[in-house]
């Protein structure tokens, strides 16, 4: 007689700290698994607490309540499938990232994470203690091994599990998104399958937490690396996978095969989901932003409309005498295409009042960046007033190129609670706008079609803080700037490496200087979704005061 095993994959969204809410979601998913006749429900890594918890998990009261919550979930799941759920475990003076397996209300196994990630945005070596490699555990007719996330990126844990009798690998994950991550993790998991000869189930978290986006995209591989189940990216999903055992071992039957998005859709969905999740999990339903008629604010307005709907997105134009009629028309055109509200508040009077109040101190000086920044800061003040009065989160609109070189005003256009395009270079902003105009997906709440006016995409970028100002008055052309920043930030290249590639030496030195002296600004910047491997904050941590400069 052929053995059968049915697994329910719960690709679900957990909220950090919401122990009651996460518990309820786990039990609801277990009921779904029970109704489907499953033998086991597999939930992601650290699901009970949400992920990443950062130092919250070091607080003894939080950890104790999390353990209590996970035990209550286990006790509630009786007369049905087993449940695997991630959460912390304190053993004496050691704290572990653990995967708990319950059956009929009783704990039957507790797997401890062995490899603790510490690169890029991770700090698990600081938070948790490494556990020994755990052995397999029985559920129904199957013996299961569960490498926890990072444990599956190296051969040793999976190989040990195979050698000690595991017949099937279920890998719970809290694996955050970055561009092309889907292909990267697939390569590692295929390696584990080929090495062990076992089928593998990859169960990933989905949703946003601060700057991190969990893209889901869970999948099932059969021995040899054949993918037989693929869940959607960036969306919650529950699916049931049937396994049969023959003389060759367990094999998964073909199931759901959701198409995977290309890199432009991946990035856009990540930015949109990051904003939607940050708002919902912070308790905000509406946003406000300055719509200048430029490409950055147009893209942010579009992402906001897609995330929470045009009716919940307020755009504000804040012109001065330096604002061109073209910018006024473009902002109105963009808001009209998106269906968002558009207000206009002139800043001339407020600027004149501030300059008048300062005139006795600034008498005898020439106008410079000081006067330009007064305009930007007045815009920030007015937008924050609207945010405070109406409970709408203020979005900032600076792209990664500007954030990198400090081409932004602290307490001005940097004021706000979240920046959806913080990790998107300017050249990618242009291409993303073209992509959105040509594509519309079911998860977008904004309208289809050419929502960003073509003239906004084609015109030269300008801050419009002085007469006839253009970004290229202060910065290299964005094609050059972004290529240099790609080398300095993403690849950690030396100046000499960039000069050998053909970039002008003085330009490279200028960009490096701007990058380093702007660290203090980034320290105060709003969070935004991480879509690269070198996002500003946890991926790239530099001192605020830094006298070192590379030499040519």
């Amino acid at each position: 007689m052929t053995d059968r095993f049915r697994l329910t994959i719960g690709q679900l969204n957990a909220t950090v700290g919401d122990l009651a809410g996460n518990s309820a979601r786990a039990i609801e998913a277990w009921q779904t698994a029970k109704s489907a006749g499953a033998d086991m429900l597999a939930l992601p890594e650290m699901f009970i607490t949400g992920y990443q918890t950062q130092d919250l998990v070091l607080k003894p009261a939080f950890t104790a309540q999390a353990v209590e919550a996970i035990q209550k979930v286990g006790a509630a799941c009786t007369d049905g499938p087993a449940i695997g759920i991630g959460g912390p475990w304190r053993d004496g003076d050691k704290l572990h990232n653990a995967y708990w397996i319950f059956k009929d209300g009783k704990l039957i196994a507790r797997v401890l994470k062995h490899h603790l990630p510490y690169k890029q945005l991770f700090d698990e070596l600081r938070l948790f203690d490494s556990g020994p490699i755990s052995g397999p555990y029985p559920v129904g007719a199957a013996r299961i091994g569960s490498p926890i996330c990072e444990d599956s990126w190296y051969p040793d844990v999976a190989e040990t599990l195979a050698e000690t009798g595991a017949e099937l690998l279920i890998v719970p994950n809290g694996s955050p998104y970055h561009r092309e991550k889907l292909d990267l993790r697939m390569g590692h998991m295929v390696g584990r399958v080929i090495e062990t000869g076992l089928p593998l189930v990859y169960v990933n978290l989905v949703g946003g937490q601060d700057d991190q986006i969990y893209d889901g995209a869970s999948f099932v591989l059969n021995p040899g690396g054949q993918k037989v189940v693929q869940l959607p990216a960036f969306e919650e999903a529950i699916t049931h996978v049937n396994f049969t055992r023959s003389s060759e071992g367990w094999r998964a039957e073909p199931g759901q095969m959701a198409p995977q998005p290309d890199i432009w859709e991946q990035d856009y969905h990540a930015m949109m989901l990051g904003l939607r999740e940050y708002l919902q999990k912070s308790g905000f339903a509406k946003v406000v932003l300055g719509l200048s008629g430029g490409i950055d604010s147009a893209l942010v307005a579009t992402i906001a409309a897609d995330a929470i709907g045009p009716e919940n997105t307020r755009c504000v134009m804040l012109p001065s005498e330096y604002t061109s009629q073209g910018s006024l028309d473009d902002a109105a055109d963009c808001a009209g295409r998106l269906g968002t509200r558009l207000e206009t508040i002139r800043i001339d009077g407020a600027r004149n009042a501030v300059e008048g109040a300062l005139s006795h101190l600034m008498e005898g000086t020439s106008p410079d960046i000081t006067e330009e920044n007064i305009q930007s800061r007045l815009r920030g003040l007015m937008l924050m007033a609207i945010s405070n009065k109406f409970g709408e989160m203020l979005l900032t609109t600076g792209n990664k190129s500007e954030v990198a070189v400090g081409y932004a005003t602290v307490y001005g256009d940097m004021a706000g609670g979240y920046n959806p395009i913080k990790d998107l270079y300017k050249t990618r902003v242009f291409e993303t706008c073209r992509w959105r105009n040509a594509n519309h997906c079911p998860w977008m709440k904004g309208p289809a079609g050419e929502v960003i006016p073509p003239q906004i995409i084609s015109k030269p970028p300008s801050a419009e803080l002085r007469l006839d100002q253009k970004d290229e008055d202060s910065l290299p052309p964005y094609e050059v700037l972004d290529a240099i920043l790609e080398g300095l930030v993403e690849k950690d290249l030396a100046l000499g490496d960039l000069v050998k590639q053909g970039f002008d030496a003085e330009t490279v030195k200028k960009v490096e200087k701007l990058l380093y002296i702007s660290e203090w600004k980034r320290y105060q910047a709003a969070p935004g979704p991480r879509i690269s491997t070198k996002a500003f904050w946890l991926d790239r941590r530099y001192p605020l005061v830094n006298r070192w400069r590379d030499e040519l």
Side-chain angles (χ1 to χ4, degrees):
M1 180 177 177
T2 302
D3 287 329
R4 301 185 65 83
F5 179 81
R6 189 167 221 209
L7 177 72
T8 297
I9 299 174
Q11 179 176 292
L12 299 179
N13 186 349
T15 300
V16 165
D18 187 7
L19 301 176
N22 297 338
S23 297
R25 312 250 13 234
I27 293 173
E28 181 182 12
W30 182 84
Q31 293 285 358
T32 301
K34 180 179 179 179
S35 298
D39 295 289
M40 180 177 175
L41 165 68
L43 293 172
E45 175 184 20
M46 292 295 284
F47 186 81
I48 199 71
T49 60
Y51 195 65
Q52 292 191 66
T53 61
Q54 298 183 303
D55 284 7
L56 182 60
V57 79
L58 297 178
K59 196 170 184 66
F62 175 72
T63 303
Q65 290 174 28
V67 169
E68 182 182 3
I70 210 167
Q71 290 172 334
K72 286 182 177 178
V73 168
C77 295
T78 60
D79 191 25
I83 179 172
I85 180 171
W89 165 244
R90 186 175 293 281
D91 184 14
D93 61 350
K94 295 185 181 298
L95 180 64
H96 296 283
N97 178 333
Y99 198 59
W100 303 60
I101 298 89
F102 295 89
K103 173 63 176 173
D104 288 328
K106 297 180 180 179
L107 180 69
I108 62 171
R110 188 189 297 113
V111 178
L112 306 181
K113 193 170 184 178
H114 180 65
H115 290 292
L116 302 176
Y118 58 91
K119 295 182 179 180
Q120 295 180 328
L121 72 168
F122 289 103
D123 268 330
E124 286 211 352
L125 271 179
R126 181 170 171 270
L127 302 174
F128 296 110
D129 294 282
S130 172
I133 297 178
S134 305
Y137 52 89
V139 175
R143 287 182 59 80
I144 298 168
S146 286
I148 301 174
C149 199
E150 190 84 355
D151 288 344
S152 66
W153 285 60
Y154 303 96
D156 58 341
V157 176
E159 288 182 352
T160 300
L161 284 165
E163 291 168 358
T164 53
E167 301 168 313
L168 168 66
L169 299 177
I170 296 177
V171 185
N173 292 269
S175 180
Y177 171 78
H178 64 68
R179 191 176 301 124
E180 298 179 335
K181 182 71 171 286
L182 282 69
D183 292 337
L184 178 65
R185 65 166 71 104
M186 182 65 70
H188 283 282
M189 296 309 108
V190 168
R192 302 297 84 79
V193 166
I194 290 174
E195 291 157 2
T196 62
L198 302 179
L200 182 147
V201 181
Y202 189 96
V203 184
N204 196 21
L205 195 67
V206 69
Q209 174 59 37
D210 297 346
D211 64 321
Q212 295 159 42
I213 314 300
Y214 297 91
D215 54 289
S218 305
F219 55 86
V220 179
L221 300 175
N222 268 334
Q226 178 191 11
K227 183 167 65 170
V228 292
V229 174
Q230 175 66 70
L231 272 61
F234 303 106
E235 299 176 16
E236 286 193 303
I238 294 179
T239 196
H240 313 291
V241 184
N242 294 318
F243 292 83
T244 58
R245 180 165 59 186
S246 66
S247 59
E248 296 180 344
W250 289 102
R251 297 293 184 271
E253 297 176 4
Q256 180 181 4
M257 290 295 289
Q260 295 303 285
D262 63 24
I263 60 172
W264 296 100
E265 183 178 338
Q266 288 176 34
D267 277 3
Y268 191 89
H269 204 160
M271 291 185 291
M272 187 284 298
L273 182 63
L275 174 59
R276 180 185 291 171
E277 289 280 284
Y278 192 75
L279 291 168
Q280 290 179 350
K281 292 179 178 180
S282 300
F284 284 84
K286 298 184 178 185
V287 299
V288 59
L289 67 136
L291 190 66
S292 68
I295 192 168
D296 296 322
S297 60
L299 179 56
V300 170
T302 304
I303 293 171
D306 284 338
I308 58 173
E311 69 279 7
N312 295 313
T313 303
R314 183 200 299 258
C315 298
V316 184
M317 183 62 162
L318 298 127
S320 73
E321 70 269 29
Y322 303 122
T323 305
S324 66
Q325 185 61 46
S327 292
L328 291 167
D329 294 342
D330 291 344
D333 189 9
C334 185
R337 291 172 185 238
L338 287 170
T340 64
R341 184 174 181 174
L342 179 64
E343 320 276 8
T344 300
I345 305 170
R346 295 201 65 87
I347 66 168
D348 313 69
R351 183 205 57 208
N352 293 338
V354 171
E355 290 182 353
L358 294 171
S359 60
H360 66 290
L361 294 177
M362 297 187 179
E363 186 176 1
T365 65
S366 299
D368 55 19
I369 194 173
T370 305
E371 284 75 15
E372 294 181 23
N373 284 344
I374 286 173
Q375 298 173 65
S376 180
R377 290 186 174 120
L378 283 170
R379 289 182 172 124
L381 183 151
M382 293 179 178
L383 289 168
M384 279 303 305
I386 295 170
S387 173
N388 293 160
K389 182 61 69 175
F390 299 105
E392 301 165 353
M393 182 178 286
L394 174 57
L395 304 182
T396 64
T397 61
N399 59 72
K400 189 172 186 176
S401 308
E402 295 172 348
V403 171
V405 297
Y407 194 63
T409 305
V410 174
Y411 322 123
D413 57 332
M414 289 178 65
Y418 197 79
N419 180 356
I421 63 170
K422 182 179 181 179
D423 200 24
L424 197 68
Y425 284 119
K426 185 77 168 191
T427 49
R428 296 191 75 91
V429 169
F430 286 108
E431 192 59 36
T432 301
C433 288
R434 297 186 185 100
W435 178 88
R436 175 57 178 86
N437 277 350
N439 294 273
H440 192 267
C441 304
W443 41 265
M444 296 175 178
K445 295 186 177 182
E450 199 173 62
V451 291
I452 300 172
Q455 64 270 19
I456 287 181
I457 300 173
S458 61
K459 69 182 179 181
S462 171
E464 293 192 326
L465 295 174
R466 63 176 183 269
L467 189 64
D468 296 327
Q469 183 183 25
K470 299 289 184 292
D471 287 6
E472 291 186 14
D473 298 339
S474 305
L475 300 172
Y478 280 112
E479 292 77 9
V480 175
L481 176 62
D482 286 359
I484 293 174
L485 289 171
E486 179 84 17
L488 293 175
V489 175
E490 315 294 323
K491 300 177 181 177
D492 282 320
L493 296 182
L495 299 188
D497 297 328
L498 292 165
V499 172
K500 288 177 183 177
Q501 292 180 14
F503 294 103
D504 174 71
E506 290 305 312
T507 301
V508 170
K509 289 173 67 175
K510 176 184 177 181
V511 172
E512 184 208 43
K513 178 183 177 182
L514 291 172
L515 177 66
Y516 284 152
I517 67 174
S518 301
E519 199 66 45
W520 70 279
K521 286 188 177 182
R522 290 189 288 274
Y523 192 78
Q524 302 181 64
R530 172 189 187 260
I531 59 174
S532 75
T533 57
K534 278 294 181 74
F536 293 123
W537 191 38
L538 291 179
D539 280 324
R540 183 184 180 279
R541 312 177 200 185
Y542 271 67
L544 305 186
V545 177
N546 170 21
R547 297 291 290 273
W548 179 83
R549 298 292 181 270
D550 198 2
E551 296 180 359
L552 284 170

